[in-house]
């Protein structure tokens, strides 16, 4: 008897994978026409044959328009689907610009060992050599693989499998636009075969202490960029606008501008919780390394990029404002 096909649910949210190019060579911009997942799938018979698919258009937006509200809606829908015995895994199509953020948020709040895979495309659906269909096929294969269980939320792009924790968009235009922040990819796809070499060991999904339970809203956390002569103006603006947390994308090892240092050294209790990350993509920021976090009441982001640190800080702030506890969370995740 033939083995039944895995039952995979596709949630479409928009992004370039669904866009029509003004011209196939992509010399012009993309136009406003977007294809729904029901229009795209019939053009991808290989994807349709790879699993027993159900598809649903959840949003139809570019990923720079994703809000906390979209994250909560998406996460609730993913959880609902994974809780069903007739769903084996979920694939999410998403714009590439903030895919790593949505993936990391889901990685921290979803409670299931079943695979969740995000994918997208750099080339629009009608572009020459559009890579969306192959990325979607690979994502369905990864979501169907028993080896993907328990690995947390994954991003599949350009024949590579990444952990949501460690993936980032690192090119603005190339097809191979995604890469690891510090620790490499988990696996790859070769001729339709899913290969894993590594598994994430930091807490995610079932082992994460964060969940959707009772979460109606997420605390406001802003990112402030450090550069020469930046002063504390933008940080002050973020604090005045009601941020409960600030991620500082510092120079070098997460170094704060002297004006920001002054503020936090003397007044950190009156300011939002500050996480020190770095604007440098590799290397990270350690606690009390190159800056006295104890003196400044600040938190080290370790190897999280500013955009990932922002998500972890948002979730941490749903539980506590205690700096010591938040430090422990950053060290653990
Ligand atoms: N602007 C698009 C988005 O993030 C880019 C993409 O999907 O590649 O939605």
């Amino acid at each position: 008897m033939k083995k039944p096909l895995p039952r995979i649910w596709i949630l479409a949210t928009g992004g370039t994978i669904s866009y029509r190019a003004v011209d196939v060579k992509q010399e012009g911009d993309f136009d406003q026409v977007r294809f729904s997942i029901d229009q795209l799938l019939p053009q991808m018979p290989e994807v349709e044959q790879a699993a027993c698919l159900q598809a649903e258009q959840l949003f139809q937006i570019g990923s720079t328009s994703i809000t906390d509200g979209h994250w909560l809606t998406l996460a609730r829908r993913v959880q609902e689907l994974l809780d069903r015995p007739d769903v084996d895994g979920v694939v999410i199509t998403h714009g590439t610009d903030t895919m790593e953020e949505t993936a990391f948020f889901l990685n921290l709040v979803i409670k299931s060992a079943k695979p969740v895979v995000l994918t997208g495309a750099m080339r629009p659906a009608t572009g020459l050599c559009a890579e969306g269909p192959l990325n979607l096929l690979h994502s369905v294969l990864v979501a169907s693989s028993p080896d993907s269980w328990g690995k947390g939320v994954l991003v599949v792009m350009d024949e590579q499998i990444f952990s949501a924790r460690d993936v980032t968009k690192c090119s603005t235009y190339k097809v191979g636009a995604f890469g690891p922040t510090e620790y490499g990819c988990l696996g790859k796809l070769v001729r339709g075969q899913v290969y894993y070499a590594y598994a994430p060991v930091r807490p995610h999904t079932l082992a994460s202490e964060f969940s959707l339970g009772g979460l109606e809203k997420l605390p406001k956390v802003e990112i402030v960029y450090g550069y020469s002569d930046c002063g504390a103006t933008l940080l002050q603006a973020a604090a005045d606008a009601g941020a409960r947390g600030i991620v500082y994308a510092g120079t070098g090892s997460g170094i704060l501008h002297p004006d920001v240092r002054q503020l936090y050294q003397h007044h950190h209790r009156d300011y939002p919780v500050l996480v020190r990350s770095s604007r440098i993509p590799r290397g990270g920021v350690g606690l009390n390394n190159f800056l006295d976090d104890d003196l400044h009441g600040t938190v080290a982001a370790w190897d999280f990029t500013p955009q990932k640190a922002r998500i972890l800080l948002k979730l941490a702030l749903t539980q506590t404002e205690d700096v010591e506890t938040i430090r422990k969370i950053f060290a653990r995740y």
Side-chain angles (χ1 to χ4, degrees):
M1 215 174 68
K2 244 180 107 188
K3 247 176 95 187
L5 287 172
R7 296 151 304 177
I8 305 300
W9 204 289
I10 300 181
L11 291 175
T13 71
T16 298
I17 194 167
S18 64
Y19 292 174
R20 186 176 78 179
V22 171
D23 68 283
V24 292
K25 293 179 287 168
Q26 297 174 70
E27 283 161 359
D29 217 342
F30 307 157
D31 64 20
Q32 288 309 305
V33 178
R34 287 160 193 192
F35 299 107
S36 70
I37 191 70
D38 290 339
Q39 289 169 313
L40 288 172
L41 278 178
Q43 297 165 43
M44 308 176 186
E46 298 78 8
V47 179
E48 286 196 308
Q49 286 154 19
C52 175
L53 292 183
Q54 298 259 30
E56 176 182 333
Q57 190 75 45
L58 201 56
F59 321 122
Q60 186 58 300
I61 53 177
S63 72
T64 40
S65 303
I66 295 267
T67 61
D68 291 0
H70 291 109
W71 278 351
L72 292 170
T73 305
L74 174 64
R76 291 218 161 86
R77 185 65 184 133
V78 170
Q79 190 65 56
E80 238 167 51
L81 291 169
L82 297 177
D83 287 344
R84 284 170 51 164
D86 61 340
V87 175
D88 297 317
V90 171
V91 170
I92 300 164
T93 61
H94 197 286
T96 57
D97 288 350
T98 65
M99 187 189 293
E100 67 205 67
E101 295 177 46
T102 300
F104 188 50
F105 176 71
L106 296 174
N107 196 47
L108 295 174
V109 297
I110 292 297
K111 297 289 165 230
S112 177
K114 292 181 185 175
V116 178
V117 181
L118 280 87
T119 196
M122 293 298 287
R123 293 183 179 145
T126 55
L128 266 189
C129 296
E131 88 283 24
L134 189 62
N135 284 343
L136 190 54
L137 172 63
H138 284 165
S139 300
V140 168
L141 295 174
V142 169
S144 303
S145 166
D147 294 344
S148 300
W149 282 55
K151 293 208 168 55
V153 174
L154 304 166
V155 167
V156 170
M157 291 291 285
D158 200 34
E159 290 151 333
Q160 289 179 292
I161 310 166
F162 299 98
S163 161
R165 182 188 188 276
D166 296 313
V167 66
T168 193
K169 183 171 180 179
C170 46
S171 168
T172 55
Y173 72 97
K174 281 198 281 188
V175 164
F178 281 74
T181 45
E182 184 84 348
Y183 302 115
C185 65
L186 302 180
K188 61 184 179 181
L189 286 117
V190 180
R191 295 176 187 268
Q193 295 296 315
V194 176
Y195 292 97
Y196 280 99
Y198 305 105
V201 295
R202 294 299 179 120
H204 59 73
T205 53
L206 293 170
S208 158
E209 67 209 74
F210 305 109
S211 74
L212 287 169
L215 213 57
E216 296 302 327
K217 239 175 124 198
L218 294 170
K220 201 172 156 67
V221 173
E222 306 291 1
I223 298 175
V224 172
Y225 208 80
Y227 45 89
S228 51
D229 209 17
C230 62
T233 318
L234 293 179
L235 183 132
Q236 188 62 52
D240 292 345
R244 285 185 51 208
I246 294 175
V247 174
Y248 191 87
T251 50
S253 307
I255 305 303
L256 308 176
H257 184 275
D259 295 356
V260 176
R261 236 181 288 165
Q262 274 289 101
L263 274 184
Y264 272 76
Q265 183 176 338
H266 300 294
H267 308 287
H268 59 86
R269 281 186 191 83
D270 306 326
Y271 274 83
V273 176
L274 188 87
V275 172
R276 291 195 300 126
S277 65
S278 176
R279 65 182 202 177
I280 298 177
R282 300 237 156 68
V285 173
L287 190 69
N288 290 320
N289 273 4
F290 296 98
L291 192 124
D292 189 340
D293 285 299
D294 295 331
L295 182 69
H296 295 87
T298 46
V299 175
W302 296 100
D303 48 23
F304 289 112
T305 58
Q307 61 270 29
K308 296 265 173 82
R310 176 175 168 268
I311 294 163
L312 188 54
L313 181 54
K314 268 171 166 308
L315 286 168
L317 286 168
T318 62
Q319 302 194 346
T320 182
E321 289 206 337
D322 176 58
V323 166
E324 201 41 51
T325 311
I326 296 175
R327 282 181 184 159
K328 287 191 180 127
I329 290 173
F330 270 82
R332 199 162 62 243
Y333 281 78

